Amino acid sequence: MHWTEMDRDELERQLSPSRWSHRMSADDVVKAHVNALKEGTERARALAQTLLNVPYGEGDGEKLDVYIPRTDSLDVPLVIYIHGGYWQFLSKEESGFMAVPLVDKGVVVVAVGYDIAPKGNMDLMVSQVRRSVVSVVQQYSHISGLYLCGHSAGAHLAAMVLSTDWSQYSIAPQIKGAFLVSGLYDLLPIQSTYINEPLKMTEEVAIRNSPRTLVPQLKLSSSGFHVVVAVAENDSQEFRKQSQEYYKALEASGLNVTMEDVPNTDHFNIIEQLVDGDYHLTKLLLKMMGRS
C-alpha cells in the first residue's frame, strides 16, 4: 500500500521502527539499542587512539570524534559514520561502536555530530553533514579511500551527502563507497506524522531533502564507486519499500549498487552488530575497502 492511502495511525505505525522488532517490546528495544551503542563506543575508545570533539564548523554541535588505528601506514581508508535517531535523538557520543572491528584492520572511523531537532532543522543538518565531509577530507589528505556509513536518519543524511553539488564547496570529496543501513529516502510521508513535530518540515523542505528525488543529479564517478543499500528483514514495509525504491533508482542511473536484505535482523540490531568483525555487513564493508 502506498503511504498516501494509509490513515495516520497506520502511517505512524509503519514509521515507528521500535514497533516492528520481534525481540522485545518497543520501549525495551530502544533502551537496549542505546545501551548497545554506548557499550560499543566505550570499547572503541579503549581500543583506538581518539581525537574527540574536533570542530568542523563554528556551531557548538559541529564536532567530530575520530578513532585512529595504531598503524604507521599513511595509506588508510576512512569511514564517516552518521548516526540515526530520527534527526532528534542520539549523538556522536554513542556513535564510535563500528570502530571496534575496523581499527584492527587499519581503518579510521569518524563519528559526526550534528544539531538534532528541535535545535537543528533539516536544511541545517544536511548542510552540517556535507561540511563535515569536506572538513574530514581537508584534515586527512593522506587517506586511501573515503567511505560513508549511515543508519536510519543517518542513512538519509549520508544519501544527501551523495546528492551534493560540490561546486558550491571548496573541495569535491572523492567518495569511494556508501553503506546506507535501514534508511529513509523520501521524507514526504514523515511530514504528516508525529515525527515531524520537532522537525517542523514543510512540504517544500521534505521534497528538497528527499534523496529519492535527487538521484538524477548524482555526480559520482561511477568507476570504483559502490553503494550498498541494506535493510532489515524485520524493518516495517514502509522502510523496506523505501530502501528498495532508492536501490532501484540508483541502479537505473547506472551506479554500482547492491541491495542487502539482512535476515534475522530488525531496525536496531542490523547496525548494532557492526561492532562484530564476523557480522555479514562488517565483512561486506571491509571487502568494499579492500581490507577483508
Side-chain angles (χ1 to χ4, degrees):
M1 185 192 288
H2 192 261
W3 68 268
T4 50
E5 297 159 22
M6 296 177 202
D7 63 29
R8 182 168 164 156
D9 285 352
E10 176 55 23
L11 186 55
E12 294 194 340
R13 195 175 77 88
Q14 287 287 333
L15 292 169
S16 301
S18 59
R19 294 168 68 177
W20 294 82
S21 172
H22 296 188
R23 295 179 296 135
M24 47 187 105
S25 74
D27 286 349
D28 287 347
V29 81
V30 172
K31 278 193 200 110
H33 182 57
V34 174
N35 287 336
L37 300 186
K38 277 185 177 160
E39 273 171 31
T41 301
E42 280 164 21
R43 276 175 63 195
R45 288 184 178 186
L47 281 170
Q49 297 169 287
T50 55
L51 297 168
L52 304 179
N53 300 312
V54 178
Y56 66 83
E58 302 295 310
D60 291 343
E62 297 180 354
K63 294 192 171 65
L64 313 165
D65 288 344
V66 186
Y67 296 79
I68 302 165
R70 301 177 193 282
T71 172
D72 299 329
S73 169
L74 289 176
D75 179 33
V76 290
L78 184 148
V79 182
I80 295 176
Y81 178 72
I82 305 171
H83 72 80
Y86 255 154
W87 308 277
Q88 54 198 283
F89 308 108
L90 297 176
S91 70
K92 69 176 178 57
E93 304 307 320
E94 324 68 25
S95 300
F97 58 95
M98 69 185 293
V100 172
L102 296 187
V103 291
D104 269 356
K105 299 278 191 181
V107 178
V108 178
V109 176
V110 176
V112 175
Y114 53 91
D115 283 319
I116 55 174
K119 186 181 180 188
N121 61 41
M122 191 58 71
D123 288 327
L124 174 66
M125 288 183 256
V126 168
S127 159
Q128 285 177 326
V129 293
R130 286 170 170 167
R131 284 185 284 116
S132 77
V133 173
V134 169
S135 174
V136 166
V137 172
Q138 287 168 332
Q139 289 179 53
Y140 298 93
S141 53
H142 55 265
I143 54 179
S144 63
L146 178 66
Y147 301 84
L148 301 178
C149 178
H151 172 240
S152 197
H156 160 266
L157 292 171
M160 288 301 291
V161 171
L162 298 182
S163 312
T164 308
D165 173 3
W166 295 111
S167 67
Q168 297 171 36
Y169 293 79
S170 56
I171 194 168
Q174 294 300 305
I175 298 166
K176 281 197 175 175
F179 229 71
L180 308 174
V181 183
S182 287
L184 283 166
Y185 309 101
D186 176 3
L187 300 190
L188 277 175
I190 286 164
Q191 205 220 329
S192 59
T193 68
Y194 72 91
I195 300 147
N196 195 33
E197 282 163 20
L199 294 164
K200 298 185 169 50
M201 279 190 297
T202 61
E203 187 173 326
E204 186 192 1
V205 170
I207 292 168
R208 178 163 73 228
N209 291 294
S210 287
R212 171 73 189 77
T213 59
L214 301 172
V215 168
Q217 69 193 50
L218 284 173
K219 308 265 193 310
L220 298 155
S221 59
S222 49
S223 62
F225 175 78
H226 186 193
V227 185
V228 171
V229 179
V231 67
E233 180 184 9
N234 298 321
D235 261 318
S236 72
Q237 291 100 316
E238 179 63 23
F239 269 84
R240 289 176 59 80
K241 188 159 111 339
Q242 287 216 16
S243 288
Q244 283 151 357
E245 286 178 353
Y246 190 56
Y247 160 73
K248 283 177 187 153
L250 292 175
E251 191 183 42
S253 73
L255 280 175
N256 176 12
V257 57
T258 312
M259 180 88 201
E260 289 290 325
D261 193 340
V262 188
N264 306 316
T265 55
D266 58 35
H267 189 81
F268 303 95
N269 62 4
I270 188 175
I271 196 79
E272 291 163 9
Q273 292 180 77
L274 279 178
V275 77
D276 178 3
D278 292 324
Y279 175 48
H280 171 61
L281 290 187
T282 312
K283 287 177 164 171
L284 209 60
L285 182 57
L286 284 164
K287 191 175 169 193
M288 186 193 273
M289 296 187 289
R291 293 284 161 145
S292 51

